Amino acid sequence: MKHLSLLSLALIAFSFVACDKDDDPLPNQLVGNWEARYYVDSVDYWVVNTLEFKNDSVYQFRTTVRDSETGPDLGYRMYYDDRYEWDGMTFKYLPDLASWIDHREEAFYVPKQELLAGIMDYFYQPTARITFVENKEKLIFQDLCPENPAFGCEGLRNPIEYVRVN
């Protein structure tokens, strides 16, 4: 009986040691740059949405334009810095101050300093589900419906696939 107790204790101890830290859903798994790239044939440019997670609570979202999928950015269409919370699956964010291109502008992109500053007004806490695929080299960003059914669920986008770029 004593040997069985020792064996059980050893198995329990081994299960704690055998856990892979990389599987823990910690916010630092997000840290780095993630890009979603789209070719827009009507203007012959690549539009790139970048999520840059700077640490476990601060990120930057930007939309830039390129001549090629992985080439240098030519200019901006939108930009904001924000704070976030992530519990390993649910991503909560609430950008308020942002800068975007003046849509009356003829240009498809402008230098960052020419973006117009404004306020993004949300009437609910935006949330999304973030899941990793392909050995954590891609993440899927899926907007979630507001918790309050009175806000409806219109305007939610299809899942967005981002690839890790660093």
Side-chain angles (χ1 to χ4, degrees), residues 49-118:
N49 291 328
T50 303
L51 289 169
E52 180 180 349
F53 293 97
K54 298 178 182 217
N55 57 40
D56 64 358
S57 65
V58 176
Y59 79 105
Q60 178 184 94
F61 175 85
R62 62 185 175 269
T63 301
T64 56
V65 176
R66 298 177 181 164
D67 277 328
S68 63
E69 184 175 5
T70 58
D73 292 331
L74 301 172
Y76 286 78
R77 293 188 52 78
M78 183 176 189
Y79 169 93
Y80 64 80
D81 287 306
D82 195 30
R83 301 188 66 75
Y84 72 92
E85 293 177 15
W86 186 57
D87 65 6
M89 289 185 73
T90 304
F91 180 76
K92 293 181 179 183
Y93 60 107
L94 191 57
D96 52 4
L97 299 176
S99 298
W100 53 80
I101 193 167
D102 182 348
H103 292 288
R104 296 169 295 181
E105 177 76 43
E106 288 185 28
F108 190 66
Y109 61 89
V110 296
K112 185 177 177 183
Q113 62 271 17
E114 291 182 24
L115 294 173
L116 299 176

Side-chain angles (χ1 to χ4, degrees), residues 119-130:
I119 295 174
M120 297 176 74
D121 192 13
Y122 285 89
F123 53 89
Y124 66 92
Q125 170 75 61
T127 58
R129 180 158 325 275
I130 292 180

Side-chain angles (χ1 to χ4, degrees), residues 38-48 64-69 72 74 77 108-109:
Y38 309 94
Y39 181 71
V40 181
D41 58 359
S42 63
V43 291
D44 195 28
Y45 287 121
W46 284 86
V47 175
V48 180
T64 56
V65 176
R66 298 177 181 164
D67 277 328
S68 63
E69 184 175 5
L74 301 172
R77 293 188 52 78
F108 190 66
Y109 61 89

Side-chain angles (χ1 to χ4, degrees), residues 34 132-139 162-165:
W34 301 84
F132 292 100
V133 295
E134 295 187 24
N135 203 18
K136 297 184 182 164
E137 291 302 310
K138 292 184 179 180
L139 69 79
Y162 286 85
V163 296
R164 183 183 290 277
V165 293

